[in-house]
Amino acid sequence: MGAVSGEPAGGEGPPAARPGRAARRRARRRPPPLPQRGGLDAVRWQVPRDVPEGARALDLLLSRFPALADPTATELGTRFATGEIVDADGRPWAAADRVAPGEEMWFHRELRPEAVPEIELPVLHRDDHLLVIDKPHDVATMPRGAHILSSALVRLRRETGIESLVPLHRLDRRTAGVLAFGIRSEERSAYQQLFARREVEKEYEALAMPEPGSSLPRSPGERLTLLDRLVTVRGELATQVVPGAVNAETELEMIAAEPSGALRVRLRPRTGRTHQLRAQLAARGAPILGEDLYGTTADVPAEAERPLQLLARRLAFRDPCTAEPREFLSTRELEAE
């Protein structure tokens, strides 16, 4: 359950981008009626159009969020009685209130106990606009599932006190490397539009273990364009490579062959599909070392015990708010053995 525009420096640089539709919607939206709690935003649920007439608040909320009925959680009726469930204006809902389509219900998550690893989140850069970290392996970008308090976003909000901090892009939990956050909420759209328009240079490094017959190049400097159609199926973790029109493109360059037999490759994705790099390499008979979703059946148990050898090495773009060229490099290294 639940949870960027400025003047270019010196008057130079590109004109400010017109805010996108999502940014305009956010600007019109009222401030949240509940403050953050421990680095976490309150959950916002807008009642859908197809709810039965006369539906009551408690019944609706339970039908949408069954986890609220967990025996270890505070009884939902009690939460209504103490004013913890509010509308868009901050007025408490009563459990028996009738709720109409389009109305909003806001509340905070109750969290299960969670062990937060004592692992540093090294900061590569921080100014008035951006906070960039060198994310370790196995740290989630966003709070989700079993990784809430240990996510990079929640930890950084707590450590810096910047409640408006938001990720400008995402890295898989198992992927390490450069991860950028926006500091000013009013600048969020300008930065995120860079990614949407593919104006950000993203470069990854991976160690892949080729199987017999793998189509990956073997000579340093050799290049290959990976073109696939990737689909994700609701309820399944792995992305599938299927026949059809291409929707995933990655430029691959061979860096070196390791003594272990692994291939060190440079990857420049032109699109941003879920698990794109992992799925594309595995589809060519060369799963990334440490792979737990796309390796062969024999590989998975052993490989799942090591970090995924995939690193977001470089992120570069022209800053839409300052007009400065930005380049951030990870200092981490992948281990072939």
Side-chain angles (χ1 to χ4, degrees):
M1 297 187 306
V4 230
S5 61
E7 294 296 328
E12 298 180 351
R18 183 174 183 266
R21 185 178 301 171
R24 295 196 296 272
R25 282 199 303 267
R26 283 196 298 271
R28 292 193 299 267
R29 188 178 297 165
R30 287 173 291 183
L34 294 175
Q36 285 183 7
R37 179 183 291 175
L40 275 172
D41 296 315
V43 181
R44 170 186 173 268
W45 182 52
Q46 186 172 41
V47 179
R49 296 179 180 178
D50 57 355
V51 299
E53 185 177 353
R56 299 186 183 276
L58 186 147
D59 298 330
L60 275 179
L61 206 57
L62 276 181
S63 66
R64 173 59 183 86
F65 301 104
L68 291 172
D70 189 309
T72 63
T74 303
E75 198 271 326
L76 188 55
T78 300
R79 298 191 66 183
F80 272 101
T82 55
E84 293 185 37
I85 319 296
V86 304
D87 67 10
D89 295 314
R91 292 187 296 262
W93 285 102
D97 281 345
R98 300 179 188 278
V99 183
E103 293 189 292
E104 295 180 7
M105 304 180 79
W106 291 74
F107 60 94
H108 281 291
R109 287 177 280 191
E110 288 191 337
L111 303 179
R112 295 183 176 89
E114 179 183 346
V116 179
E118 294 184 7
I119 183 170
E120 184 183 3
L121 301 179
V123 175
L124 296 173
H125 174 86
R126 178 176 175 179
D127 60 20
D128 292 338
H129 308 276
L130 296 170
L131 174 63
V132 185
I133 67 168
D134 202 352
K135 187 180 86 68
H137 286 101
D138 298 314
V139 171
T141 297
M142 297 283 289
R144 185 178 180 185
H147 307 277
I148 305 295
L149 301 179
S150 59
S151 67
L153 177 60
V154 171
R155 286 190 55 187
L156 288 170
R157 281 179 174 175
R158 289 181 164 192
E159 292 171 10
T160 64
I162 305 173
E163 294 187 354
S164 59
L165 201 68
V166 290
L168 302 178
H169 60 115
R170 297 192 189 188
L171 293 182
D172 291 343
R173 178 178 62 85
R174 302 209 64 212
T175 303
V178 180
L179 179 59
F181 294 80
I183 291 178
R184 297 179 176 178
S185 57
E186 68 272 18
E187 297 175 351
R188 176 182 180 184
S189 178
Y191 283 111
Q192 291 185 332
Q193 284 183 54
L194 292 180
F195 290 87
R197 295 194 302 262
R198 302 182 188 179
E199 295 176 4
V200 177
E201 296 178 28
K202 295 184 288 185
E203 187 175 295
Y204 291 74
E205 189 175 314
L207 286 168
M209 184 59 72
E211 300 165 351
S214 171
S215 61
L216 256 62
R218 301 295 199 275
S219 302
E222 192 175 351
R223 299 188 178 191
L224 178 67
T225 301
L226 312 181
L227 300 171
D228 293 292
R229 180 165 186 80
L230 304 183
V231 298
T232 55
V233 178
R234 187 177 181 84
E236 296 185 8
L237 294 177
T239 292
Q240 299 177 10
V241 180
V242 300
V246 169
N247 63 3
E249 178 181 352
T250 302
E251 299 294 331
L252 178 148
E253 180 183 355
M254 171 67 171
I255 298 175
E258 302 291 332
S260 65
L263 303 179
R264 188 177 295 268
V265 296
R266 183 175 294 114
L267 301 160
R268 299 184 180 93
R270 305 304 183 198
T271 52
R273 298 286 168 176
T274 300
H275 293 178
Q276 177 171 317
L277 305 181
R278 298 169 67 178
Q280 288 190 302
L281 288 176
R284 288 159 178 79
I288 297 173
L289 292 176
E291 186 59 81
D292 61 341
L293 280 179
Y294 300 96
T296 64
T297 303
D299 291 338
V300 168
E303 288 303 313
E305 297 177 2
R306 68 182 297 177
L308 183 72
Q309 297 302 293
L310 178 61
L311 177 68
R313 173 66 74 189
R314 177 176 176 268
L315 195 68
F317 54 88
R318 181 168 290 278
D319 194 301
C321 300
T322 68
E324 298 176 54
R326 303 280 201 176
E327 183 180 50
F328 307 109
L329 299 173
S330 173
T331 62
R332 299 183 182 276
E333 296 296 335
L334 300 178
E335 300 293 338
E337 299 297 334

